């Protein structure tokens, strides 16, 4: 019976510390899906007693490779913002972790966001439009040259 009571107390204490940790720092990203190459914005906050303190931000790709590590300072209200460019080679998920240290103990929160490749259709469309504009300019120049040659011959 003592073992069960001790286990219950341990679970209760663990649950309280999880709730406490969640209220120390929070982070969010401006979109659930990012596009490779775009600028993303991470927003977050720390509890008021940590306002003006440094916050660590780490971004890992789906292979666990660290693609960004930054330390930013929260403002006087405990808020922080970090913008970063999603690498053009990224796909899958990015795991973003914000952390803060109190008396040598680290508290963190993580979010995950999916990354899609830049749309190849948009790139092909832009190349097609550029080629059409070039062809139209060349046709106009040829027509003007022909008209000038005919005017000179007359």
């Amino acid at each position: 019976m003592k073992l069960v009571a001790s286990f219950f107390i341990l679970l209760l204490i663990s649950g309280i510390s999880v709730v406490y940790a969640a209220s120390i720092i929070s982070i969010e990203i401006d979109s659930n899906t990012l596009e490779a190459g775009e600028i993303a914005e991470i927003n977050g906050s720390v509890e008021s007693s940590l306002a003006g303190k440094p916050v660590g931000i780490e971004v890992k790709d789906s292979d666990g490779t660290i693609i960004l590590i930054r330390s930013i300072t929260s403002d006087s209200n405990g808020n922080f913002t970090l913008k970063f460019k999603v690498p053009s080679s990224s796909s899958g998920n990015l795991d973003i972790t914000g952390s803060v240290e109190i008396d040598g103990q680290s508290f963190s929160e993580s979010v995950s966001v999916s990354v899609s490749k830049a749309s190849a259709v948009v790139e092909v469309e832009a190349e097609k439009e550029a080629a059409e504009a070039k062809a139209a300019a060349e046709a106009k120049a040829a027509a003007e040259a022909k008209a000038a040659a005919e005017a000179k011959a007359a």
Side-chain angles (χ1 to χ4, degrees):
M1 185 71 170
K2 274 187 172 180
L3 184 60
V4 173
S6 297
F7 184 71
F8 179 72
I9 291 172
L10 182 62
L11 284 177
L12 184 61
I13 291 170
S14 296
I16 290 171
S17 66
V18 169
V19 170
Y20 179 68
S23 65
I24 291 174
I25 184 169
S26 67
I27 63 169
E28 59 184 42
I29 188 102
D30 59 350
S31 176
N32 290 333
T33 303
L34 300 175
E35 192 169 297
E38 83 169 296
I39 303 296
E41 184 173 284
I42 300 168
N43 294 295
S45 63
V46 294
E47 68 178 25
S48 60
S49 66
L50 298 171
K53 302 288 185 196
V55 176
I57 302 290
E58 180 180 83
V59 180
K60 292 182 181 179
D61 66 15
S62 54
D63 295 328
T65 303
I66 296 172
I67 61 172
L68 175 79
I69 293 181
R70 293 288 184 274
S71 178
I72 55 176
T73 303
S74 59
D75 67 16
S76 61
N77 296 317
N79 300 313
F80 58 89
T81 299
L82 176 68
K83 292 183 181 184
F84 72 100
K85 185 174 183 178
V86 178
S88 57
S89 61
S90 291
S91 63
N93 288 331
L94 293 180
D95 293 318
I96 303 164
T97 303
S99 60
V100 65
E101 195 171 292
I102 303 172
D103 296 329
Q105 186 175 2
S106 182
F107 296 90
S108 62
E109 181 177 324
S110 297
V111 295
S112 185
V113 61
S114 63
V115 178
S116 63
K117 287 286 186 184
S119 175
V121 173
V122 172
E123 292 173 16
V124 169
E125 244 350 272
E127 290 175 5
K128 182 180 174 185
E129 288 176 8
E132 289 173 349
K134 182 179 178 184
E138 289 173 350
K140 181 179 177 183
E144 290 173 352
K146 182 179 177 184
E150 289 174 355
K152 189 174 184 182

